[in-house]
Amino acid sequence: MKKILVMLLVFSMLLAMTACGKAPAPTTTEPVETNTVDVGIVLPTKDEPRWVQDETRFTEALKSTDYSVEILFSQGSSAKEKENVDALIAKGIKVLIICPQDGGAAASAVEAAKKEGIKVIAYDRLITGTDAVDYYVTFDSIAVGEAQARYLVEQATGTGNPLYLYAGAASDNNAFLFFEGAWNVLQPKIADGTFVIKNSSEAVALQGNAKLTRDEMGKIIGQVTTNWDFNEAKNKAEAHLTSAKAADKGNVFILAPNDGTARAIADAFGADTAVTSYKVTGQDAEKASVQYIIDNKQSMTVFKDVRTLVKDSIEMAVAILGGKEPQTTGSYNNGKIDVKAKQTEVVVVKNDNVKAALVDSGYYPASDFTNLK
Ligand code: BGC
């Protein structure tokens, strides 16, 4: 009887094996083969169109590689980011491409990767205060801020023009680079009276300084940060408008750090009856902002062609996987080391070149927009 039962058991196991086409899970204490992913990509959040755009472009570009890749999102949390990195390490990645949620907090995640011999590429945002970053792919972020400020300067005539400053998150090294670039161009125009800062006592206190230290920038950013959050941007703009006198309004000029915050700030200024007109900057060429530009609700954006950044980081990863040294064009100091970097240029987009820059270049189809000229 026992023999028959054993035979039946073996027979049913064999049947199960053929039915699913593979052997049952190993029952030994041998570790299960986990080296399943070559390149891990970690992006900050799905809640901003910018990073969804990066995911889309990565997915498109990766169709042609033989390496296996996994993309994870950190949803605005450094803890989730660390979990993502640990999960990818467990899957045996050899290269980690990571855009940190918080440039300083990400150090521990990349240090864990470095310990396992994984090469780390910081993507768009630098990881600071650690030697565990091997490479950095980035846009020219100082040029982004300079382009935003140059636009405002070009639009302003006479003196005494009200200027409202807004910045990104202080946990993002880029927020400092954007602000530094903007200050380079705006400060002489504040000093000569073209603009008058209306919403930051810290910036007013420092307006005589052509160059700001990181600490000085930190003081201004601390006051006018949006934290890259649309609601925070809107609330802050509304609070500034509530405390501003009618004389501080009229034809206003607004430095907004990116597209999401630009739309939020533009909506707040647009709703204030004492604001006769506003010029507002942005960056990322997000679809919603491109439509705002076509509709004259946002004045400009800085187009950062994510296809180039994606291509550069994949080329770097492929070089590393092939045992070669990736190509770089310069370096960025992260507070601890000089990180070898590859940098990409940016393009200014206004109402008159939306089609040429964004549609004719194949970045977006014309059908994504209404009233495109
Ligand atoms: C990126 C911008 C983005 C911002 C908010 C920055 O680090 O460079 O493109 O708009 O983060 O996510």
Side-chain angles (χ1 to χ4, degrees):
M1 183 65 187
K2 211 172 163 196
K3 230 176 180 178
I4 295 173
L5 267 179
V6 171
M7 274 173 71
L8 268 176
L9 194 71
V10 170
F11 183 67
S12 56
M13 271 174 70
L14 279 173
L15 257 185
M17 275 167 69
T18 25
C20 54
K22 55 182 177 199
T27 49
T28 60
T29 48
E30 291 277 308
V32 181
E33 179 60 74
T34 50
N35 288 4
T36 48
V37 180
D38 299 309
V39 181
I41 300 173
V42 179
L43 295 173
T45 179
K46 263 195 186 221
D47 295 341
E48 290 176 41
R50 159 71 215 267
W51 306 112
V52 178
Q53 180 70 231
D54 292 67
E55 181 195 31
T56 309
R57 302 302 181 179
F58 264 118
T59 311
E60 277 166 13
L62 287 165
K63 281 187 194 138
S64 55
T65 79
D66 293 335
Y67 293 109
S68 56
V69 181
E70 186 165 335
I71 305 178
L72 297 174
F73 282 88
S74 307
Q75 292 313 104
S77 151
S78 294
K80 174 86 185 142
E81 181 177 83
K82 178 79 169 60
E83 272 172 33
N84 285 342
V85 171
D86 288 343
L88 291 166
I89 295 174
K91 288 184 179 182
I93 55 163
K94 293 166 201 77
V95 180
L96 172 67
I97 298 173
I98 173 168
C99 179
Q101 166 56 32
D102 175 316
S108 70
V110 294
E111 279 158 13
K114 189 187 169 163
K115 259 197 209 132
E116 300 300 320
I118 296 162
K119 292 282 179 198
V120 175
I121 302 173
Y123 179 85
D124 194 291
R125 296 178 179 167
L126 190 55
I127 297 163
T128 50
T130 176
D131 63 2
V133 199
D134 297 285
Y135 301 100
Y136 181 34
V137 284
T138 180
F139 293 100
D140 184 345
S141 296
I142 297 217
V144 171
E146 286 177 345
Q148 293 172 330
R150 201 170 302 121
Y151 175 83
L152 295 178
V153 169
E154 281 163 10
Q155 299 300 311
T157 51
T159 55
N161 295 289
L163 177 66
Y164 291 79
L165 302 170
Y166 294 93
S171 59
D172 177 1
N173 189 55
N174 286 347
F176 287 81
L177 301 176
F178 301 144
F179 197 84
E180 181 182 340
W183 192 260
N184 288 344
V185 177
L186 287 176
Q187 191 275 337
K189 292 292 172 185
I190 297 164
D192 76 3
T194 305
F195 291 118
V196 181
I197 302 166
K198 295 294 180 186
N199 68 331
S200 167
S201 55
E202 296 284 2
V204 170
L206 291 161
Q207 66 188 10
N209 301 8
K211 290 276 169 210
L212 299 177
T213 63
R214 195 168 169 107
D215 279 356
E216 288 169 339
M217 271 191 280
K219 284 187 186 158
I220 303 174
I221 293 173
Q223 221 171 27
V224 299
T225 184
T226 59
N227 269 319
W228 294 134
D229 181 301
F230 313 156
N231 286 323
E232 192 163 335
K234 186 163 183 284
N235 292 340
K236 209 159 246 187
E238 284 172 353
H240 291 152
L241 285 163
T242 305
S243 59
K245 296 187 276 305
D248 299 330
K249 300 181 185 176
N251 299 313
V252 306
F253 295 79
I254 310 162
L255 177 76
N258 76 345
D259 281 351
T261 58
R263 295 194 300 278
I265 295 167
D267 289 348
F269 276 78
D272 189 312
T273 49
V275 173
T276 322
S277 76
Y278 65 83
K279 305 279 183 223
V280 64
T281 62
Q283 75 167 300
D284 293 334
E286 286 182 5
K287 275 183 200 170
S289 276
V290 175
Q291 189 60 56
Y292 260 48
I293 291 172
I294 296 169
D295 298 340
N296 290 317
K297 294 201 289 186
Q298 183 178 321
S299 317
M300 61 87 80
T301 188
V302 181
F303 172 39
K304 309 202 297 189
D305 193 331
V306 168
R307 293 172 300 188
T308 314
L309 209 59
V310 162
K311 183 172 159 282
D312 285 347
S313 46
I314 293 176
E315 277 174 10
M316 267 191 187
V318 169
I320 294 166
L321 291 165
K324 297 195 200 93
E325 177 69 20
Q327 283 185 351
T328 50
T329 50
S331 69
Y332 273 75
N333 190 278
N334 77 343
K336 187 93 179 227
I337 52 163
D338 286 330
V339 184
K340 287 183 205 152
K342 181 122 200 286
Q343 185 168 287
T344 294
E345 296 316 308
V346 296
V347 175
V348 172
V349 176
K350 297 179 283 192
N351 189 289
D352 59 3
N353 69 335
V354 167
K355 191 170 170 297
L358 297 173
V359 176
D360 298 348
S361 69
Y363 201 71
Y364 291 134
S367 57
D368 282 349
F369 307 108
T370 51
N371 299 325
L372 180 69
K373 287 176 280 170

